[in-house]
Amino acid sequence: LTHPLLSSHPVPHPVLSPPLTSPPPLPPLLSSPLLSSPLLSSPLPLLSSPPSPLLSSSPLLSSPLLSSPLLSSPLLSPFVSSPLLSSLLSSPLSYPLSFLFHFSQRFTTVVPESCMLILLGLVLGGIVLLTSKKQLYQLEPGLFFLFLLPTIVGDAGYFMPARLFFDNLGAILLYAVSSCWGSGVQAGLMEFLLFGALISAVDPVAVLAVFEEVHVNETLFIIVFGESLLNDAVTVVLYKVYMSFVEVGPENVQTADYFKGVASFLIVSIGGTMVGLIFAALLAFITRFTKKVRIIEPLLVFLMVYLAYLTAELFSLSAILSMTFCGIGCNKYVEANISQKSRTTVKYTMKTLASIAETIIFIFLGISAVDKSKWAWDTGLISCTLIFIFVFRALGVVMQTWVLNWFRLVPLDKIDQVVMSYGGLRGAVAFALVVLLDAERVPAKDYFVATTIIVVFFTVMFQGLTIKPLVNWLKVPRATNRKPTINEEIHERAFDHCLTAVEDIAGLNGYHHWRDKWEQFDKNYLSKLLLRKSVYRKSELWEVYQKINIRDAISVIDQGGNVLTSARLSLPSMASRASFPEVTNVTNYLRENGSGVCLDLQVIDNVPGAKVEEESETHHFLAGNLYKPRRRQTLHDSGDHERQDREIFQRNMKSRMETFKTTRHKRHSHKKDRSQKKRRGSDVKEQDLNDKPRRNVSWQDKDPVVVPVESEDEKGEHLEPEKEEDVGITFVARKVPDTPKERPKSVPAGLEVCQSPSVAPPSPTCSERNLPWKGGIGTLPVCVSMEATKIIPIDLQQAWNQSISSLESLASPPGPVEPLHPRVSALSRLGGQRPVSYSGSGVSGSGFGSRGAGSIVAQGIARFEFPPGGEEKDEEEGALSDQEQELQPLMSSSVRPPGPPPPPPLAQGLGRRRNPCVYLRSLVTAPPPGSEPLARSRGPTQL
Amino acid sequence: MGSTNSTLSKIPNVEELMQETGFTPAHIVRLYDRFEALDKEKTGHLRPQDFGAINRLAMNPIGDRIIGAFFSPGQETVDFHSFVRTLAHFRPVDKKRPKDPSMPEPVNSRTSKLKFAFQLYDQDKDGKISRAELLQVLRSMLEMQVTEEQLESIADRTIQEADLDKDDAISFEEFRKVPPARALRLTYQHGAFAAQGTQNTKTCKVHAHRK
């Protein structure tokens, strides 16, 4: 999809042809120079040829998008093959250039990309000029307005954070409109008015380029950027107005004409906005029905947004405004309607197109600047203009801010104002407009061009270069990329409710009132009309959070995948089936604890992505169900519908939960357990059996099944090594059921798995034992422990402790693993609290705790605890005791506890819950002095 | 202006009140009118039922909590002064206000705003948002759209997220730590939080009290 668009041949043409071939049906209120045809007739070669070598030659033209595979081979080949270019540029120049840019990679962190591009354009322009004596490429207005600008504006509009935009709309409007009118700097001649209009507009392209790199906080960004975006529209409108004045001639302009100018300004901007909104609605409505043909969704988005632009242009309305508002308006609904893949496609294609357009514009700017024939130097004009735009910008900002701050809740302070005035970059729009001037009607055009070029250069180069240090120096609050937490979400809603309530109490109709009204309307009518039924029920935050969560999930899974592969690599010989899922789980577990999201201990027993899934679901619940202020009202209004939807929603959720077997379920079952634990008995047993597949508890059941087979006869007679192997077996057997895919329930499976440890020659002494496994263990920690050491902040210690203790409890009889470098350090750091929590669980852990007491005592730290077999005990008593007997010799100094005392009910719950984490503990523990061989053999087995 | 003065004269200790809350006379008048409108029986006191009579408030999921915030413990009624004092929480933070350590913390400071919000959660006034309290709030905001189970897992997660000292409850210190995470947005929230109570009164200019 992107290809046709990018290369612009097949797709836009049909769309373009009507406006291009037929003169505008309505006699434009003011002349619309943009559509003048000769320029448009040949946009394609212009678009295609010049940029390509540049793109190919400079992979680092800063934006990563440019280096995307999209651009790399297929697209460029036709362009590069164009004779002129290849002869001139591609082969001899591109390589040196790319080297140059590679070399200066450090440079790019300091210099904004727009500066680089302009410089590049200058160089290229110089070269071209030298070779051909005549400028071959120029920024043609037609190209600019029909292709380059729309891509940039469309991107900006579509991804404009709507709420932020409208929250700051007042400020944006004020700045946008008045700054344009305000700095019609050099009054007097109409031409100067004209020039003032076009030079005073802050350019979204430049602003975007610079501000995105600077990462100022989002309010500042949205104000400046929104201003520049609307500014553009205003500028173009004003430009047309003045243009018509100039055409008529100043002496013929009557007072009425000025009013006409104002009126036309209003009509043009409002009309443009309306067109945009109409198209937005249309687009949203269409995407409602694309369920069967997902493939056209991105195309639809592009076409409709572009169509909004063209239509507005056709009617001589403000195309930029139209496109911006089309983007803003449709975003919410379209994003909700189209599929995830389409969303991604739209996003990246748009961003890519926008960066390409930006790149092209700046390069052209550079190229055009070289051609002396195009401009005439006038020092006075240039210096005056520079001073004026700077002074007026600052003045305007200060004055307007002063007015605005009366109305703003959070006033813009001085620093913001400085950045705002300093961020007033002029750019390509002004340049394109000035180039567009008709030299016959505006004799001073050449001077204007020169001035504009200088101004653009100065603002982009000088200000663009210095704004970053300035922002640093002024300590402007930067944008934070922190993900919203549940706390914030809840509190925000609560605050919203609170404000609304206070408004009600004080009997006011404030901003919140109107926003509620709008949301109400949106919910009751617009969303119903424009959103698919399936998504209608979700709140508007839904999609946003879904996106965030999907991104998180992807990144987590990616990392998990890495761990997986690395684990696989490190342990090629291991019985991989059992160990991989385990490793991944552990990693996820660690990570998630570390990131403070959820400390639930059962996570480990889920499939890798389950935790993420649950997180996103929780988000969804919040986003989808937290009430907007006064949402209840709607409930009353359309009760039936609501209920129906809710039912569907819940059912969906249920099914999803079933699928993923998230923690919630488990928690639920635990709850049941807890409630039932007091009257422990056959009921509980049954339940446990039922739960078995889902929970890790199952290993307890498995143990007896797997272990005894091997060990029953050999119990007493086994040598230690063999017993170790047995333990290894038990362990593997335990874990295996956890993995969703393969659950070797049968003995053979267990045996098969446990063959691997026996491959390694069992050695009697501890030291010898350690050696063979060191490699294996050493490698794994790298995957896991990095997470552990780095992530866990103090406030998570509790969680960590919990997990550790749970792990300990699961680690049960086995001795500790050998020293694991990073992980150990992480743990020891946390060590202070660990024992406490651990001992708590130890006490509660009862059953096996007491059994494992021997080993615990021996090691000084109460580290291992056998998870209480509580309910199963009656059933499995025999099996367990078998196991214990096996284990007994292994626990070096352990006194064999008699029968496992019945664990206190709570303990069971805990122990149970913690079962899943068995393995981690073994990975994590510090080596005890006289470590037991058992654990060692087991560790490797797992790994 | 004449009407303003005459209304002001009806309010006892109006100077003191303005001093304390920072409201301008116009604010006070405006609020007084509102107070009288709410006070249907002209007793000079508002009872919870009077607040309950506000339609839209009844639809607010945490409306009753906010009403509750107007009444100091053990009191059945609220007079105009307390009414204004409570609303003063919502005034914008005075940035310019000179730091005077001897003065008590102004009622519209960020801390007291947060405190106010905190008290909406903390119904038993033990200085902590317990799991049960959080659950209540969540339940009222989520309505019955989610199952109890889901509510609980949300509540658990929330507490785990915020709980620094591991007492399974969110203390005020923890509460105020959480919001700054996305500082900007929530600052705005507080800002909005702050101003709506007074800013939109049609009779007065918002900036009147800015000086």
Side-chain angles (χ1 to χ4, degrees):
Chain A
L1 276 178
T2 58
H3 282 215
L5 271 183
L6 197 60
S7 55
S8 82
H9 300 301
V11 183
H13 252 285
V15 184
L16 281 181
S17 47
L20 292 186
T21 49
S22 64
L26 293 185
L29 186 56
L30 307 153
S31 70
S32 70
L34 305 186
L35 281 179
S36 58
S37 51
L39 293 171
L40 296 181
S41 58
S42 62
L44 292 182
L46 277 175
L47 180 63
S48 55
S49 53
S52 49
L54 301 176
L55 292 178
S56 68
S57 66
S58 58
L60 56 67
L61 285 187
S62 64
S63 74
L65 292 175
L66 285 181
S67 58
S68 73
L70 253 186
L71 287 177
S72 54
S73 53
L75 281 176
L76 288 180
S77 46
F79 302 156
V80 172
S81 66
S82 99
L84 198 155
L85 281 173
S86 56
S87 67
L88 266 186
L89 294 174
S90 65
S91 48
L93 279 177
S94 63
Y95 295 113
L97 274 175
S98 72
F99 280 133
L100 180 85
F101 274 81
H102 269 300
F103 186 68
S104 64
Q105 198 136 28
R106 250 170 282 128
F107 198 53
T108 49
T109 59
V110 185
V111 182
E113 108 187 56
S114 42
C115 295
M116 302 283 287
L117 293 178
I118 290 186
L119 284 178
L120 185 68
L122 277 177
V123 172
L124 271 182
I127 292 169
V128 172
L129 206 65
L130 281 181
T131 42
S132 67
K133 306 289 181 215
K134 169 173 159 284
Q135 196 56 271
L136 287 171
Y137 322 115
Q138 300 204 12
L139 187 53
E140 301 290 348
L143 163 71
F144 177 76
F145 281 103
L146 275 180
F147 299 104
L148 299 182
L149 190 58
T151 50
I152 295 168
V153 172
D155 171 62
Y158 191 75
F159 294 106
M160 175 89 72
R163 173 161 176 183
L164 212 57
F165 180 78
F166 286 107
D167 280 357
N168 291 307
L169 186 61
I172 291 171
L173 272 181
L174 183 67
Y175 285 122
V177 176
S178 62
S179 67
C180 274
W181 290 96
S183 51
V185 181
Q186 297 130 345
L189 266 171
M190 271 303 156
E191 292 162 22
F192 279 106
L193 260 184
L194 175 79
F195 181 62
L198 62 85
I199 201 69
S200 59
V202 174
D203 183 58
V205 183
V207 165
L208 205 64
V210 169
F211 270 57
E212 271 193 347
E213 267 171 55
V214 175
H215 293 299
V216 293
N217 62 67
E218 49 187 3
T219 315
L220 202 54
F221 178 79
I222 202 71
I223 287 182
V224 176
F225 180 59
E227 173 206 350
S228 63
L229 204 60
L230 297 193
N231 223 323
D232 259 0
V234 176
T235 305
V236 173
V237 171
L238 277 185
Y239 171 82
K240 288 181 185 172
V241 172
Y242 288 142
M243 205 49 199
S244 66
F245 285 173
V246 170
E247 274 169 21
V248 174
E251 61 280 353
N252 300 329
V253 177
Q254 294 157 3
T255 330
D257 291 334
Y258 287 106
F259 288 108
K260 267 190 212 160
V262 175
S264 77
F265 169 75
L266 290 179
I267 290 171
V268 165
S269 38
I270 293 172
T273 310
M274 295 313 291
V275 170
L277 292 180
I278 290 169
F279 271 94
L282 206 62
L283 173 57
F285 191 68
I286 292 176
T287 52
R288 238 187 104 170
F289 306 104
T290 51
K291 188 169 186 179
K292 298 257 169 68
V293 276
R294 294 286 195 192
I295 195 73
I296 63 166
E297 281 170 349
L299 188 64
L300 266 179
V301 173
F302 293 127
L303 282 188
M304 292 299 278
V305 173
Y306 193 48
L307 213 55
Y309 184 88
L310 290 181
T311 311
E313 193 65 64
L314 189 69
F315 291 107
S316 296
L317 299 173
S318 169
I320 295 179
L321 275 180
S322 163
M323 202 167 185
T324 308
F325 278 92
C326 180
I328 293 178
C330 75
N331 182 292
K332 174 188 154 186
Y333 308 104
V334 170
E335 290 282 283
N337 279 337
I338 64 180
S339 71
Q340 175 63 29
K341 279 178 189 170
S342 310
R343 229 173 284 151
T344 312
T345 311
V346 168
K347 179 180 171 191
Y348 286 104
T349 314
M350 251 187 196
K351 294 270 178 208
T352 310
L353 285 176
S355 337
I356 291 174
E358 251 167 63
T359 310
I360 293 172
I361 289 174
F362 280 116
I363 289 178
F364 267 123
L365 212 63
I367 292 180
S368 312
V370 179
D371 191 0
K372 263 194 180 165
S373 64
K374 292 290 179 187
W375 46 267
W377 184 270
D378 179 23
T379 316
L381 179 67
I382 289 170
S383 49
C384 278
T385 312
L386 274 180
I387 292 168
F388 273 127
I389 61 165
F390 205 74
V391 168
F392 273 85
R393 171 82 189 164
L395 255 182
V397 167
V398 169
M399 281 171 51
Q400 291 161 34
T401 311
W402 184 66
V403 174
L404 261 181
N405 276 349
W406 284 2
F407 301 98
R408 279 185 73 86
L409 305 174
V410 178
L412 299 163
D413 57 15
K414 291 213 170 62
I415 291 177
D416 289 339
Q417 295 177 36
V418 170
V419 175
M420 281 175 67
S421 11
Y422 208 72
L425 305 181
R426 273 67 167 178
V429 174
F431 177 72
L433 285 175
V434 118
V435 169
L436 201 75
L437 285 176
D438 189 346
E440 289 176 14
R441 297 220 179 89
V442 185
K445 180 193 170 187
D446 285 353
Y447 294 101
F448 289 160
V449 173
T451 314
T452 310
I453 286 176
I454 295 300
V455 166
V456 169
F457 272 38
F458 178 78
T459 52
V460 172
M461 304 287 251
F462 181 72
Q463 295 187 6
L465 266 177
T466 48
I467 195 167
K468 206 168 187 176
L470 185 80
V471 164
N472 284 334
W473 183 59
L474 290 174
K475 299 193 178 58
V476 177
R478 302 300 189 88
T480 50
N481 284 329
R482 227 180 143 283
K483 283 170 289 182
T485 64
I486 288 182
N487 265 293
E488 287 166 10
E489 248 167 72
I490 293 173
H491 297 329
E492 248 182 74
R493 310 286 174 126
F495 291 159
D496 268 351
H497 286 306
C498 194
L499 283 182
T500 322
V502 167
E503 256 182 36
D504 291 342
I505 289 176
L508 307 162
N509 290 333
Y511 174 70
H512 280 254
H513 174 82
W514 290 111
R515 213 181 64 206
D516 283 346
K517 277 262 158 76
W518 163 254
E519 272 166 12
Q520 206 81 342
F521 171 75
D522 176 63
K523 191 172 176 320
N524 291 338
Y525 304 102
L526 274 185
S527 295
K528 261 183 204 162
L529 181 69
L530 299 180
L531 287 184
R532 284 189 192 157
K533 281 243 169 57
S534 56
V535 285
Y536 164 60
R537 187 59 195 78
K538 306 166 189 170
S539 95
E540 75 263 21
L541 286 178
W542 174 283
E543 291 303 323
V544 177
Y545 287 119
Q546 205 166 33
K547 266 186 279 173
I548 292 174
N549 285 315
I550 285 172
R551 204 173 51 203
D552 286 355
I554 287 174
S555 72
V556 167
I557 286 170
D558 278 351
Q559 290 173 35
N562 289 337
V563 171
L564 196 81
T565 48
S566 63
R568 188 175 286 147
L569 288 176
S570 66
L571 299 162
S573 67
M574 289 332 297
S576 52
R577 296 195 307 172
S579 56
F580 285 149
E582 187 54 34
V583 171
T584 336
N585 278 343
V586 169
T587 322
N588 281 333
Y589 181 68
L590 276 176
R591 179 181 307 117
E592 266 134 30
N593 274 330
S595 60
V597 181
C598 173
L599 309 169
D600 199 313
L601 300 169
Q602 286 138 12
V603 177
I604 201 165
D605 113 78
N606 290 328
V607 286
K611 189 76 242 332
V612 178
E613 187 60 33
E614 194 225 347
E615 183 190 348
S616 70
E617 271 183 26
T618 314
H619 266 295
H620 294 172
F621 283 129
L622 281 175
N625 295 301
L626 278 172
Y627 271 88
K628 288 259 168 264
R630 296 205 195 107
R631 192 146 135 202
R632 248 189 230 171
Q633 205 165 14
T634 5
L635 251 183
H636 297 305
D637 295 343
S638 55
D640 287 350
H641 197 79
E642 291 275 339
R643 225 169 295 136
Q644 216 173 1
D645 283 341
R646 197 182 311 137
E647 239 176 62
I648 295 169
F649 179 71
Q650 281 175 354
R651 216 170 295 149
N652 284 343
M653 280 309 175
K654 284 254 168 61
S655 65
R656 202 177 297 174
M657 279 187 292
E658 297 276 335
T659 332
F660 288 103
K661 303 220 181 339
T662 58
T663 17
R664 232 171 297 120
H665 255 134
K666 267 147 218 154
R667 188 174 295 160
H668 189 59
S669 57
H670 277 296
K671 237 171 277 147
K672 274 192 224 150
D673 283 353
R674 248 174 259 154
S675 65
Q676 287 181 345
K677 61 206 164 182
K678 275 166 194 167
R679 27 184 191 97
R680 197 189 328 133
S682 54
D683 301 2
V684 185
K685 268 180 241 155
E686 274 176 27
Q687 201 202 338
D688 281 339
L689 290 178
N690 294 340
D691 287 343
K692 209 194 296 177
R694 256 191 262 146
R695 302 199 255 127
N696 288 341
V697 182
S698 53
W699 68 268
Q700 287 175 343
D701 300 331
K702 296 283 149 54
D703 268 343
V705 181
V706 178
V707 179
V709 176
E710 237 198 8
S711 59
E712 245 168 319
D713 335 337
E714 312 157 336
K715 253 188 253 171
E717 309 142 20
H718 262 315
L719 294 174
E720 277 210 346
E722 286 183 22
K723 273 162 198 165
E724 288 151 22
E725 282 175 20
D726 284 350
V727 178
I729 295 166
T730 34
F731 191 80
V732 171
R734 262 179 240 146
K735 295 323 287 177
V736 171
D738 295 346
T739 79
K741 284 167 197 167
E742 66 257 307
R743 334 184 131 189
K745 289 189 181 178
S746 61
V747 177
L751 287 176
E752 183 187 303
V753 172
C754 66
Q755 286 315 316
S756 49
S758 64
V759 171
S763 54
T765 63
C766 301
S767 54
E768 275 181 23
R769 284 224 145 253
N770 285 337
L771 293 177
W773 301 115
K774 259 179 189 166
I777 289 177
T779 45
L780 183 70
V782 177
C783 327
V784 180
S785 62
M786 287 307 289
E787 300 281 344
T789 44
K790 145 178 90 188
I791 301 179
I792 304 177
I794 292 174
D795 58 313
L796 290 171
Q797 280 191 10
Q798 185 194 10
W800 178 253
N801 290 334
Q802 277 179 13
S803 65
I804 292 306
S805 62
S806 70
L807 293 174
E808 281 163 350
S809 72
L810 290 174
S812 58
V817 192
E818 43 226 34
L820 307 178
H821 1 346
R823 194 182 302 133
V824 170
S825 65
L827 283 172
S828 60
R829 231 181 286 146
L830 299 167
Q833 297 185 7
R834 200 196 334 146
V836 177
S837 72
Y838 172 68
S839 65
S841 71
V843 171
S844 61
S846 69
F848 261 106
S850 61
R851 228 180 292 145
S855 66
I856 292 170
V857 171
Q859 289 160 21
I861 309 172
R863 194 179 290 124
F864 299 111
E865 205 185 335
F866 219 77
E871 299 89 353
E872 295 90 343
K873 237 156 238 163
D874 315 67
E875 233 185 335
E876 303 155 9
E877 189 86 283
L880 284 176
S881 59
D882 282 346
Q883 197 192 4
E884 284 161 23
Q885 284 171 7
E886 286 172 29
L887 298 176
Q888 194 190 0
L890 305 177
M891 309 171 181
S892 46
S893 66
S894 69
V895 179
R896 177 142 196 268
L906 184 65
Q908 284 176 22
L910 287 174
R912 277 263 194 93
R913 216 207 257 170
R914 284 166 182 174
N915 286 342
C917 315
V918 182
Y919 181 57
L920 187 56
R921 181 54 198 159
S922 72
L923 288 178
V924 165
T925 31
S931 61
E932 296 156 3
L934 169 76
R936 257 166 256 134
S937 72
R938 190 171 48 88
T941 316
Q942 272 310 302
L943 294 175
Chain B
M1 230 36 208
S3 70
T4 302
N5 284 332
S6 64
T7 314
L8 278 182
S9 60
K10 277 190 286 182
I11 310 167
N13 294 332
V14 70
E15 291 297 327
E16 203 179 299
L17 190 61
M18 287 193 302
Q19 182 85 30
E20 186 185 339
T21 59
F23 282 121
T24 61
H27 285 137
I28 298 281
V29 170
R30 162 84 192 178
L31 289 176
Y32 192 71
D33 290 345
R34 180 67 183 168
F35 184 83
E36 295 211 305
L38 289 177
D39 182 20
K40 298 221 174 54
E41 288 153 29
K42 306 294 170 211
T43 58
H45 291 83
L46 292 183
R47 291 158 304 137
Q49 303 91 286
D50 294 323
F51 284 104
I54 304 172
N55 264 340
R56 294 186 306 188
L57 197 58
M59 280 177 273
N60 196 313
I62 56 171
D64 47 348
R65 284 161 188 271
I66 290 162
I67 295 174
F70 278 83
F71 296 90
S72 47
Q75 282 202 311
E76 292 297 307
T77 58
V78 56
D79 62 2
F80 180 65
H81 284 235
S82 319
F83 179 75
V84 172
R85 256 177 238 128
T86 310
L87 281 181
H89 280 110
F90 299 91
R91 277 193 51 237
V93 182
D94 300 325
K95 271 195 182 157
K96 299 284 162 54
R97 200 183 185 103
K99 282 278 177 186
D100 187 355
S102 66
M103 291 273 287
E105 180 118 29
V107 74
N108 57 342
S109 74
R110 185 178 142 76
T111 308
S112 32
K113 281 179 207 305
L114 278 174
K115 195 112 200 163
F116 186 88
F118 183 77
Q119 279 161 3
L120 293 182
Y121 291 91
D122 182 23
Q123 290 291 288
D124 62 4
K125 308 265 186 278
D126 64 347
K128 284 178 176 2
I129 302 175
S130 69
R131 186 168 177 272
E133 285 165 342
L134 186 65
L135 264 180
Q136 274 180 11
V137 177
L138 280 177
R139 200 173 293 134
S140 57
M141 288 200 295
L142 289 164
E143 277 283 305
M144 49 279 180
Q145 300 219 348
V146 290
T147 63
E148 196 62 26
E149 228 172 284
Q150 292 160 354
L151 268 183
E152 282 179 22
S153 54
I154 291 174
D156 283 345
R157 175 86 53 89
T158 311
I159 288 185
Q160 278 166 345
E161 215 173 71
D163 191 13
L164 300 182
D165 57 7
K166 285 127 205 153
D167 57 354
D168 278 340
I170 303 177
S171 67
F172 179 64
E173 283 307 307
E174 289 158 356
F175 180 77
R176 65 184 299 177
K177 286 240 171 56
V178 176
R182 204 165 36 162
L184 194 83
R185 187 69 185 277
L186 277 167
T187 310
Y188 275 123
Q189 282 302 327
H190 295 306
F193 200 22
Q196 295 301 333
T198 55
Q199 186 200 14
N200 301 297
T201 52
K202 286 160 197 153
T203 53
C204 57
K205 290 277 160 47
V206 178
H207 53 274
H209 59 243
R210 287 183 59 84
K211 50 183 177 358

